[in-house]
Amino acid sequence: MAASASSFPASTVPLAPEDPLFGLSTAYRADNHKDKVDLGVGAYRDDNAKPWVLPVVKKAEEILRSDPELNHEYLPITGLPAFTSAAANVILGADSPALKEKRVTSVQTISGTGAVHLGALFLSKFFRRPSSQPVYLSNPTWANHNQIFSNVSLPIATYPYFHPSTKGLDSDGMLSAIRSAPKGSIILLHACAHNPTGVDPTRDQWKTIATVIRTRGHFPFFDCAYQGFASGNLANDAWALRYFISEGFELCVAQSFAKNFGLYGERAGCFHFVTPPGSDAQDTTRRISSQLAILQRSEISNPPIHGARIASLILNDGKLFAEWEDNLRTMSGRVIDMRRALRKKLESMGTPGTWKHITDQIGMFSFTGLNELQVQKLREDAHVYMTKNGRISMAGLPSSS
């Protein structure tokens, strides 16, 4: 057979770079050193550095397995209703004025990534941006944010977030950038446990952020991947989002159940759109809901069922819900303990620099302040693996290290 040229040469389809996080995991697995430590993984690990299936999830799976009526039929386009309604209650609060006034539409998604994508796709299609206003992402942010918004042709800009010298929030830089952004820009905000820095605004700072966003007519887009996992308290971790809603903002929310349920591979998430209060709020909600369903249908037809069933069963059962909250406190408590232990160890060893930021930051990740050369040195000499920017997963650190 004669050879023929592909219609997709390297000039039009170049070889894509390897995803840095998955590349890091590959390098870790290839390392045969007995004391190697993986601090790059974005998943909870127990004190033996092993995956932890939440006890409440095991119970839910047993209940589902024993259900003779269980089948594998398609879900509705927008997902399992018992799951999406319970998910909205958890993140918005059961007493949310938006829920009471029926100003919320919810769609089950392929975890938080799918929720961000569905929101980005909806905004790219329907959000009026006469001046091609960009989406503003924190600098730094979860790396996938950039690609998700770029893939739907929304231009990206950034606002300062992490202050290298204080290793805390660059509040002045953040507010200045949001003030100077073109009116009507989309501002992506991490609801809690900012990834990758572990730095969250205080409640007073959140109030100031909300004021600036309202003054400039921006649209807030919350990404929430760590509710309950950050502080161990569901309401505390959702405070910023709930505050914005109480102030009458129109906004959307991407919600993930990967971290707080340990359902990483089940891809259980939700996208919520909240319309502002007004006489036409319910009509607006119905219209937006109809368009989200059309987008969902063309993307995935309908979402996966297993993870949603597990989460729904737990969220809608009082005893299981209470046990889930206890599991959340176990995970968040271990992370907090490891922060304290790491800081204490670094200070007792006289490690150059200050390490207060390790305990000031919150959630799964910490921005250590280490540079790329130091990160590489740790990998070569101590077989400790972390991302090039010095971000470590506190959940991957065993006390034996």
Side-chain angles (χ1 to χ4, degrees):
M1 182 182 295
S4 60
S6 170
S7 299
F8 304 95
S11 58
T12 56
V13 186
L15 182 66
E18 183 179 42
D19 183 276
L21 282 178
F22 285 91
L24 186 67
S25 295
T26 299
Y28 171 79
R29 288 193 297 269
D31 188 337
N32 294 319
H33 196 277
K34 64 182 181 66
D35 294 322
K36 65 182 180 179
V37 179
D38 183 5
L39 301 183
V41 63
Y44 180 79
R45 296 290 182 260
D46 65 17
D47 199 41
N48 296 311
K50 301 295 184 183
W52 190 57
V53 180
L54 274 61
V56 73
V57 167
K58 289 183 178 180
K59 283 187 180 180
E61 288 182 314
E62 284 300 319
I63 293 170
L64 291 172
R65 260 193 291 271
S66 63
D67 182 356
E69 300 299 318
L70 200 68
N71 59 51
H72 299 283
E73 294 294 297
Y74 289 123
L75 284 177
I77 293 171
T78 55
L80 185 66
F83 169 65
T84 55
S85 60
N89 284 340
V90 165
I91 197 161
L92 305 181
D95 60 348
S96 170
L99 288 174
K100 290 179 178 179
E101 296 160 14
K102 299 181 179 178
R103 295 188 283 112
V104 181
T105 184
S106 302
V107 179
Q108 183 185 333
T109 57
I110 308 295
S111 200
T113 304
V116 176
H117 171 70
L118 183 62
L121 188 62
F122 175 83
L123 293 173
S124 71
K125 188 174 178 68
F126 295 106
F127 186 60
R128 289 179 296 183
R129 299 167 39 254
S131 303
S132 297
Q133 292 95 324
V135 177
Y136 276 79
L137 309 176
S138 63
N139 182 21
T141 191
W142 179 47
N144 218 15
H145 280 148
N146 293 277
Q147 188 159 303
I148 290 171
F149 286 99
S150 295
N151 281 352
V152 296
S153 301
L154 285 172
I156 291 170
T158 62
Y159 57 85
Y161 192 85
F162 184 74
H163 201 297
S165 61
T166 66
K167 299 180 180 61
L169 181 68
D170 183 359
S171 180
D172 291 342
M174 177 182 183
L175 292 172
S176 177
I178 295 174
R179 284 192 187 99
S180 62
K183 284 189 176 182
S185 295
I186 300 164
I187 311 295
L188 188 122
L189 302 162
H190 297 231
C192 66
H194 183 273
N195 179 5
T197 69
V199 174
D200 285 351
T202 64
R203 292 189 177 185
D204 284 342
Q205 287 171 328
W206 273 121
K207 290 178 180 179
T208 302
I209 292 166
T211 298
V212 174
I213 288 176
R214 180 182 296 284
T215 301
R216 295 294 296 166
H218 297 325
F219 181 86
F221 188 145
F222 279 89
D223 188 3
C224 186
Y226 300 95
Q227 186 188 5
F229 190 99
S231 68
N233 183 290
L234 291 163
N236 184 66
D237 291 348
W239 185 89
L241 165 63
R242 295 180 186 182
Y243 174 76
F244 272 67
I245 292 173
S246 73
E247 291 294 298
F249 277 90
E250 183 168 45
L251 53 81
C252 61
V253 188
Q255 179 186 23
S256 170
F257 289 98
K259 306 296 192 299
N260 55 14
F261 270 92
L263 295 173
Y264 304 100
E266 303 300 344
R267 314 311 290 147
C270 255
F271 175 76
H272 309 279
F273 196 101
V274 182
T275 55
S279 59
D280 63 343
Q282 290 188 23
D283 177 64
T284 301
T285 302
R286 281 192 294 270
R287 288 186 287 104
I288 291 172
S289 179
S290 71
Q291 294 295 343
L292 287 171
I294 292 292
L295 293 176
Q296 175 99 317
R297 174 64 169 156
S298 66
E299 293 269 308
I300 63 170
S301 274
N302 22 48
I305 197 169
H306 186 61
R309 278 177 170 160
I310 293 170
S312 178
L313 182 57
I314 295 167
L315 294 175
N316 287 293
D317 181 286
K319 289 184 178 179
L320 293 177
F321 189 94
E323 184 174 348
W324 176 50
E325 289 184 298
D326 186 60
N327 292 172
L328 285 170
R329 286 187 287 270
T330 295
M331 291 190 291
S332 62
R334 194 184 100 72
V335 169
I336 291 169
D337 288 345
M338 292 315 302
R339 286 185 178 278
R340 291 172 180 154
L342 178 60
R343 178 185 172 185
K344 182 179 180 181
K345 185 67 172 179
L346 290 168
E347 290 176 343
S348 68
M349 293 173 63
T351 309
T354 58
W355 300 99
K356 182 174 178 291
H357 60 281
I358 297 292
T359 50
D360 285 346
Q361 295 168 7
I362 190 171
M364 180 174 286
F365 300 113
S366 179
F367 237 34
T368 60
L370 298 176
N371 60 41
E372 188 171 340
L373 288 175
Q374 291 168 323
V375 168
Q376 187 62 32
K377 181 73 170 171
L378 275 172
R379 184 192 298 193
E380 292 171 355
D381 293 357
H383 302 268
V384 175
Y385 289 77
M386 66 184 74
T387 57
K388 292 180 180 180
N389 58 12
R391 187 204 77 172
I392 61 173
S393 173
M394 297 305 304
L397 189 65
S399 57
S400 59
S401 295

